[in-house]
Amino acid sequence: MEIRAFRGSDEAEVLEVWRAAMHADALGEHLFRTKVLLDPNFQPDLLPVAVEDGRVVGFVLALTRQVPLFLQGLEPDKAWITAFGVHPDYQRRGIGTALFQHVIQLLRTQGRKTIDISPYVPNYFVPGVDSRAYPGTIPFLEKQGFRVLYNAISMGADLSGFQIPPEILELERRREQEDGVTIRPVSSADLPELMPFIVRHFGWDWFRHAQEYLLDLFGGVNASQICFLVARRQGQIVGYCQQRLERFGPFGVDPAYRNLGIGRLLLFRCLATMSARHTFFAYFLWTGEDAARLYSLAGFKRRREFAVLHCDL
Ligand SMILES: CC(C)(COP(=O)(O)OP(=O)(O)OC[C@H]1O[C@@H](n2cnc3c(N)ncnc32)[C@H](O)[C@@H]1OP(=O)(O)O)[C@@H](O)C(=O)NCCC(=O)NCCS
């Protein structure tokens, strides 16, 4: 068995291993090219492949920042692993361990101090390891020195026949009358206040995500697939919510104005817009237990749970 850096001609074999090992997260060539090969942080030696019997039988995809994420910078201590697998015919023979040891050694020599699986912005596939789909993977990773930090919950909702319940409409009336809260589709007049608001309260990752949708919305690229709402209280921005196609979120409310129901109003208004556009399903990949309760009020059901893992090098 040989471990070597990825080569362009390995694509088909890596994807075959990916589909067989990460069977619940199959990936097509299109996404492999756009989210892996064209990622400016991608480096072939951090995608080592294991070759046996003349073909690729395993891989690990690790990333470190080569270009800064806005003012979040290069994060020089950090590394991420977003995907890995050994073909089922070759598992339990030490190949996974050899791949991980190889990548851990490489990252150490590059001065990295931590590895996280798999919250890498912007091109993660899933938040972490789905322990139901891959029951052996967490024991394997614990052997490699990783520990579970927390679980991310992924949920989805059927929006056919979606209606805003009367108590939410009532809440909307009350908030408007008592606190001057309004929820409106974003307009260009919001942008000078909105973008600094997003950075201030939610950081550069959320800024990047919002900017991506807003570039399409204001650039007229598939604008009808996007709903972007802004919540104001007495004229000042206090929250926003974004959605494209079936993917809902993120959405956020200024911590000073939480627990007033503003998040709930953003959520229900966005889902109603989606349903009226005949987008009859909504999903997101990542939330915690508290927000999961809010989502379940709107009909979201749990789909998958992902363990986010961390390793100190
Ligand atoms: C995790 C994975 C890469 C391990 O590859 P591997 O080549 O089989 O790993 P190794 O042979 O080096 O190590 C095996 C050790 O891991 C642990 N392990 C592996 N599979 C296990 C299982 N099903 N149950 C319990 N422990 C398991 C054991 O400690 C095992 O040692 P043992 O065989 O002596 O008991 C492989 O199982 C895989 O491809 N899983 C699916 C892909 C995946 O989960 N990707 C992550 C998605 S984000």
Side-chain angles (χ1 to χ4, degrees):
M1 197 262 298
E2 179 202 1
I3 293 183
R4 60 158 174 79
F6 175 84
R7 295 176 191 147
S9 54
D10 292 331
E11 181 188 86
E13 290 182 13
V14 166
L15 286 178
E16 202 184 311
V17 175
W18 189 309
R19 287 180 204 117
M22 293 176 55
H23 46 83
D25 297 282
L27 193 80
E29 287 83 359
H30 170 75
L31 282 176
F32 183 72
R33 291 165 192 169
T34 53
K35 292 187 78 164
V36 179
L37 300 181
L38 287 171
D39 182 334
N41 295 320
F42 172 70
Q43 292 180 293
D45 60 340
L46 287 183
L47 171 50
V49 296
V51 180
E52 197 164 320
D53 302 331
R55 64 178 179 121
V56 172
V57 297
F59 71 93
V60 178
L61 173 55
L63 292 134
T64 54
R65 288 207 190 289
Q66 306 303 304
V67 294
L69 178 74
F70 294 96
L71 291 182
Q72 207 164 299
L74 284 167
E75 302 182 270
D77 290 347
K78 293 191 179 173
W80 297 266
I81 289 177
T82 56
F84 55 93
V86 171
H87 193 285
D89 296 346
Y90 291 82
Q91 287 180 8
R92 309 295 287 255
R93 296 196 204 167
I95 296 175
T97 302
L99 278 165
F100 266 75
Q101 279 176 1
H102 176 91
V103 100
I104 285 172
Q105 192 47 37
L106 211 54
L107 291 168
R108 268 202 195 115
T109 56
Q110 293 178 5
R112 303 287 158 173
K113 305 265 189 301
T114 62
I115 310 178
D116 286 283
I117 301 177
S118 52
Y120 162 67
V121 174
N123 283 325
Y124 71 92
F125 302 98
V126 285
V129 175
D130 177 342
S131 56
R132 207 164 48 175
Y134 312 112
T137 299
I138 291 177
F140 166 81
L141 289 171
E142 284 170 344
K143 255 183 142 175
Q144 313 305 321
F146 286 82
R147 64 192 158 85
V148 175
L149 283 186
Y150 61 91
N151 283 305
I153 302 163
S154 161
M155 303 178 89
D158 177 358
L159 299 179
S160 30
F162 182 85
Q163 288 180 26
I164 300 183
E167 62 275 17
I168 297 293
L169 292 172
E170 173 51 30
L171 174 71
E172 196 171 49
R173 265 192 298 275
R174 245 190 7 253
R175 281 290 158 260
E176 187 163 359
Q177 279 165 12
E178 293 170 13
D179 299 311
V181 170
T182 59
I183 310 271
R184 304 251 189 280
V186 68
S187 77
S188 60
D190 292 319
L191 297 181
E193 188 184 343
L194 177 65
M195 303 319 282
F197 169 86
I198 295 176
V199 175
R200 192 162 61 247
H201 294 294
F202 306 104
W204 287 104
D205 175 27
W206 285 40
F207 175 94
R208 176 202 60 78
H209 205 158
Q211 184 204 34
E212 185 187 319
Y213 285 24
L214 292 168
L215 282 170
D216 281 359
L217 188 70
F218 288 107
V221 181
N222 299 321
S224 64
Q225 298 174 349
I226 294 169
C227 171
F228 200 114
L229 301 174
V230 174
R232 288 182 179 271
R233 182 179 172 275
Q234 292 164 8
Q236 176 197 333
I237 293 183
V238 291
Y240 78 101
C241 166
Q242 68 180 75
Q243 159 274 332
R244 173 154 63 188
L245 293 171
E246 274 130 14
R247 184 154 189 182
F248 175 82
F251 78 126
V253 173
D254 178 342
Y257 298 102
R258 291 195 185 150
N259 300 317
L260 293 172
I262 296 171
R264 202 166 295 201
L265 299 180
L266 283 164
L267 172 64
F268 278 87
R269 273 288 154 212
C270 183
L271 297 178
T273 305
M274 291 173 73
S275 179
R277 288 177 176 168
H278 290 197
T279 300
F280 290 128
F281 188 74
Y283 81 93
F284 57 84
L285 289 175
W286 202 315
T287 195
E289 288 294 344
D290 287 346
R293 276 195 295 280
L294 167 60
Y295 282 115
S296 57
L297 288 177
F300 279 86
K301 306 227 175 332
R302 285 171 187 252
R303 302 165 79 211
R304 299 175 73 184
E305 232 169 277
F306 300 97
V308 177
L309 293 109
H310 176 86
C311 170
D312 290 310
L313 293 179

